[in-house]
Amino acid sequence: MNTDSASRPDDDKHHRDRRDFMRLDKTGNGLLRLLGESHPVGRGRIIDISANGLNLCCDVDWADRIQPGTGVEVVARLEENAEPFYLLGEVIWYRRLEDDECQIGIELPMPEAKPDLPRSDNRDWRALFLA
């Protein structure tokens, strides 16, 4: 279990992000698309998860399609879980990586926080952290 704050170099300085929830070192795979679009669908790998979000690594072309605030749909399958989660979220941050990849931080709001969103498994996702 990882509870440390992440830091990243930026012009020889380190910025620390504040996390509201503990991160779990769980991995898996995810399918990603922009909310309301049917194509394209991207594939990615889950780096870590928290009760209200996930960190997804996917092809670098997604960095050109998103920005903070972009709504996304993610079908996430954790390695030890046979059933996928259908998640609705919002891009909070992203960064380009080497090897033609980008990393995307996605926040998963609770249904009552965004009642206009379609039905999702966001509540069940959060339940993983209560078990």
Side-chain angles (χ1 to χ4, degrees), residues 4 22 30 49 73 78 85 102 109 111 116:
D4 297 334
M22 192 175 348
I49 66 173
E73 298 174 76
L78 300 177
F85 291 89
C102 74
D116 55 324

Side-chain angles (χ1 to χ4, degrees), residues 68-83:
T70 300
V72 292
E73 298 174 76
V74 179
V75 177
R77 184 183 301 268
L78 300 177
E79 289 176 344
E80 71 273 1
N81 190 343
E83 293 296 317

Side-chain angles (χ1 to χ4, degrees), residues 111-128:
E112 57 271 12
K114 297 239 181 184
D116 55 324
L117 287 178
R119 188 177 181 287
S120 70
D121 294 329
N122 289 19
R123 185 178 305 284
D124 293 337
W125 179 268
R126 187 169 284 201
L128 290 173

Side-chain angles (χ1 to χ4, degrees), residues 29-33 41-45 56-59 62 101:
N29 297 303
L31 297 175
L32 172 73
R33 70 178 173 193
V41 174
R43 289 188 184 278
R45 68 182 185 282
L56 189 67
C57 188
C58 55
D59 290 334
W62 283 92
E101 292 183 316

Side-chain angles (χ1 to χ4, degrees), residues 13 15 24 54 66 72 82 89 110 114:
K13 295 179 184 175
H15 299 279
L24 298 180
L54 66 122
I66 58 168
V72 292
M110 290 301 290
K114 297 239 181 184

Side-chain angles (χ1 to χ4, degrees), residues 25-39:
D25 293 327
K26 297 214 180 247
T27 60
N29 297 303
L31 297 175
L32 172 73
R33 70 178 173 193
L34 300 182
L35 190 60
E37 290 188 3
S38 58
H39 294 289

